[in-house]
Structures are given as C-alpha cells and as structure tokens.
Amino acid sequence: MESCDIRIVLVAPSHPGNIGAAARAMKNMALGTLVLVNPKQFPHAEATARASGADDVLAATRVVQSLSEAVSGCGFIAATTSRDRDQYFRVLDVRAAALRLVAEVQRSPTAVVFGAERTGLSNEELESAHALIRIPASTTYPSLNLAMAVQLVAYELYRARGAAAPASVPLAAPLANTQEMERLYAHFAQVLEEIDFRDRTQSGTHLMARIRRLLQRAEPDHNEVNILRGILTAVQNRRRTAGGGSR
C-alpha cells in the first residue's frame, strides 16, 4: 500500500523519543508525511534510535513554526483529544475519523493533529479542525502516550485505506476553511446585533456559541457559507433600504 498525503502533525512535542516512535508507527502503516510544530528537540539521537528503520520518515519530516503552516492546503483536519469538551465540533471515534480522512484525501491533503504530551491541544489550536477524534482510555489510567495515540490512528488509517474502495466513495463539496467560518461567525454576530436578536435564556450570553455549534456540526462547504453570508447581507441591505440603518 503506497503512502498518501495524510499528514501526521505533532504540536510542540517535548520528547524526541516520541517523535521517533511516531515515525516508526507511520512507517509500519504506510504513512510518510510527518510535520512537527515547534519541537523541543529535533533532530535528536533518541528520535533516530526509536524510529528503528523509519529513517526516511524522519529525513522527510518538516519542522514549522505554526499550526496554520503545518495544515496549510489541507481540505479536512481532525484534531485528537482524550477529554470530553463542550466545543462546537463534531466528535468522531478513531475508526470513523479514519474513514473520513481516507475519503477526503482523494480530493486534497488531510491532517491529523496531536497536541503536546502534557497539555494536549489548546482550544485555539482546536479551532483549526473540522472534527475532533476522541480517544478514550481507562478512567483508572487515562493518560495516553503521544506515540501510542499516533499508533492507534495510524493503524485505523491503514485499515480504512485497505477496506475502502476510493473510486466508489461519493465526495461532497470541499468544506469551508477556518478563515471562511470565522468570517461567517463575525457576520452573524454583526447582523444579530443590528436586528437586536438576543438570547432569550436567563443568562442571555450563549446565542453565538449555539450558532457556532450548529454551523460547525453542519459542516458547510464554501458555496453554502457564501449562501448564508448572502442572506445576511440581504437582511442588512433590506434594513438600510427600509430606513432601519445600522446600529
């Protein structure tokens, strides 16, 4: 099975041994694109030793300064987490995420993002993702080693690539990227303010969070985002024509 452009992205890895072990797991499962965001130590002798034959993966590893650079050009991005989060994202198990990544890579590069060993990914880093991969672990020992997490995901990707018939997988339109979604959220917030549409709950502070959650789970594509923004613009124009103005 040939390697494909599913990027394994490690954000701020602190242990070079984990980088090497991740490279070995990737080599085992026919993945060849490893990207490191601000690694503490790389290259490093321990990474080479732990790679154990995956020297070509390490040699081709890219080191970048930001997550946005690491996932540039990717049409679908999944970010790993071991915790339950009250976020806006669709949450997938590893097997479902692997099938989605394998389908999406037919159209453009995809990426799986792993956080630092101690802290995982920050909420800001999660904003780059289209979905989260939930990796559960025993409640008696929930700490999952970075290299082990990469092994789990790499195995499921290998399995999905072998089981899938790529030519028969129907592809929807490309998803809107993070920048397009942020512009849509800002436009929504602006229009809601202009028409004085507010959260009617007791706290009155969660309306945009709910809208973000709804839109994120809907996974709009580029054209659908443009349709929604067109509707919002039409609302603004109609109010101006009617003499309502902007606040």
Side-chain angles (χ1 to χ4, degrees):
M1 185 182 297
E2 295 182 356
S3 179
C4 63
D5 200 352
I6 300 177
R7 302 178 197 174
I8 299 298
V9 178
L10 308 184
V11 177
S14 58
H15 303 298
N18 277 334
I19 297 173
R24 179 176 181 176
M26 292 172 60
K27 179 82 170 181
N28 288 150
M29 302 301 161
L31 295 170
T33 307
L34 178 60
V35 185
L36 307 179
V37 180
N38 291 323
K40 186 174 181 180
Q41 300 178 86
F42 186 82
H44 193 278
E46 186 177 353
T48 302
R50 291 288 298 278
S52 189
D55 298 334
D56 55 335
V57 176
L58 287 184
T61 295
R62 286 198 301 128
V63 177
V64 298
Q65 300 302 309
S66 67
L67 179 55
S68 61
E69 186 179 355
V71 299
S72 176
C74 289
F76 183 78
I77 302 161
T80 59
T81 181
S82 61
R83 294 171 287 173
D84 293 320
R85 295 176 182 266
D86 182 21
Q87 285 291 334
Y88 318 118
F89 304 95
R90 184 182 302 279
V91 180
L92 305 174
D93 64 24
V94 181
R95 187 156 295 179
L99 289 169
R100 180 68 182 276
L101 286 155
V102 167
E104 292 286 348
V105 82
Q106 299 173 56
R107 175 169 47 216
S108 61
T110 61
V112 187
V113 182
F114 298 81
E117 290 92 338
R118 292 182 180 274
T119 60
L121 294 165
S122 68
N123 288 337
E124 182 179 357
E125 288 163 342
L126 289 173
E127 292 292 341
S128 67
H130 295 99
L132 300 185
I133 300 178
R134 175 86 166 88
I135 303 179
S138 169
T139 56
T140 61
Y141 191 51
S143 178
L144 195 65
N145 177 269
L146 173 61
M148 184 180 294
V150 172
Q151 287 178 326
L152 287 170
V153 173
Y155 167 75
E156 290 297 342
L157 286 169
Y158 186 83
R159 183 180 182 277
R161 290 163 64 196
S168 68
V169 178
L171 290 175
L175 297 181
N177 62 35
T178 303
Q179 292 74 27
E180 290 174 314
M181 293 303 296
E182 288 301 326
R183 286 193 289 269
L184 175 60
Y185 299 145
H187 201 167
F188 248 111
Q190 179 185 358
V191 172
L192 293 176
E193 178 69 18
E194 290 176 5
I195 66 177
D196 196 29
F197 189 95
R198 301 188 182 278
D199 193 336
R200 306 305 179 188
T201 61
Q202 186 173 0
S203 66
T205 59
H206 301 302
L207 181 59
M208 270 311 302
R210 290 171 174 168
I211 289 174
R212 287 176 68 105
R213 186 177 296 112
L214 183 155
L215 291 171
Q216 184 68 34
R217 290 176 177 170
E219 296 187 344
D221 61 38
H222 172 77
N223 290 331
E224 290 165 342
V225 165
N226 284 339
I227 290 170
L228 290 172
R229 293 202 64 191
I231 293 170
L232 294 171
T233 299
V235 170
Q236 291 175 305
N237 292 339
R238 180 61 65 88
R239 291 188 72 251
R240 295 186 184 106
T241 301
S246 299
R247 295 182 60 184

